[in-house]
């Protein structure tokens, strides 16, 4: 079937010398993987390698056979070009990290229009703002709403956050954060993209990031810690 949809690039893996396997989160069909033959060839002007940078928002026309095999693009264009994300070292590092987190978090070939719309809006926010130190933290927490394990904040006044059940409790269990870590997590829950980016010190930001990655590990089977995590820590240290 011929499909026209928006798509966010999650990853692009080089295949042999000139081709790519591109994983996209599409608005219409969720996660899909595409084979791009001769992606590094100048002859394929409609499938330029530059289109497949992490989290680029595309408008695609593709043939979906829906047989569990790689699909094929027919036409590709950038839906709305970014102005700063791929040229700013901080933003490009965040995008590389987020794309890897999404790669390990989204597995279903089912559409999730709300998650797509949220990611699209968030990426445009990132592209148009300079105070972005907490962006990745807020984004990762918000994504849990769409993946089904956002923290239950009905007892947020309790001192400990229990990771496995995703609840705040009066008692400290094996899978609970410390009281200090729980307080940092509460601060994150209250943050919005436009909140003062100096809410956390560098060390606190690293603690919160570790908490989020551990939280994802608790709730997603087969989740792997992103390889770009060390780069992110280095850039924001």
């Amino acid at each position: 079937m011929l499909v026209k949809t928006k798509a966010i690039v999650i990853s692009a893996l080089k295949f042999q010398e000139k081709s790519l396997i591109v994983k996209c989160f599409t608005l219409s069909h969720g996660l899909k993987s595409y084979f791009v033959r001769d992606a590094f060839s100048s002859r394929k002007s409609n499938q330029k390698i530059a289109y497949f940078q992490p989290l680029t928002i595309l408008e695609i026309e593709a043939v979906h056979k829906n047989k569990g095999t790689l699909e094929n693009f027919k036409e590709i264009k950038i839906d709305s070009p970014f102005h700063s994300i791929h040229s700013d070292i901080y933003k490009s590092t965040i995008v590389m990290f987020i794309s890897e987190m999404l790669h390990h978090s989204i597995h279903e070939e089912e559409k999730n229009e709300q998650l797509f719309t949220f990611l699209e809006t968030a990426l445009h926010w990132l592209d148009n703002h300079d105070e972005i130190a907490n962006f990745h933290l807020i984004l990762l927490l918000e994504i849990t709403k769409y993946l089904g394990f956002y923290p239950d904040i009905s007892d947020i006044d309790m001192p400990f956050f229990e990771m496995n059940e995703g609840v705040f409790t009066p008692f400290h269990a094996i899978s609970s954060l410390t009281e200090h870590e729980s307080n940092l997590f509460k601060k994150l829950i209250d943050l919005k993209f436009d909140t003062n980016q100096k809410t956390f010190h560098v060390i606190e930001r690293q603690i919160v990031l570790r908490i989020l990655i551990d939280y994802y590990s608790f709730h997603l089977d087969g989740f792997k810690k992103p390889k770009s995590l060390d780069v992110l820590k280095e850039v924001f240290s």
Side-chain angles (χ1 to χ4, degrees), residues 63-75:
V63 177
H64 285 183
K65 296 181 179 178
N66 298 316
K67 295 182 178 179
T69 55
L70 296 174
E71 314 289 14
N72 292 284
F73 293 118
K74 189 174 181 182
E75 294 290 339

Side-chain angles (χ1 to χ4, degrees), residues 143-190:
I143 286 172
T144 65
K145 289 180 180 177
Y146 306 98
L147 298 182
F149 57 98
Y150 187 77
D152 181 348
I153 59 173
S154 55
D155 292 317
I156 198 169
D157 291 335
M158 296 295 179
F160 302 105
F161 182 71
E162 198 279 313
M163 300 277 272
N164 194 43
E165 296 297 325
V167 297
F168 288 90
T169 66
F171 307 108
H172 188 271
I174 294 175
S175 54
S176 295
L177 301 178
T178 66
E179 191 165 358
H180 174 61
E181 291 169 338
S182 298
N183 285 333
L184 291 177
F185 197 53
K186 289 177 186 180
K187 284 175 71 174
L188 175 62
I189 288 171
D190 286 336

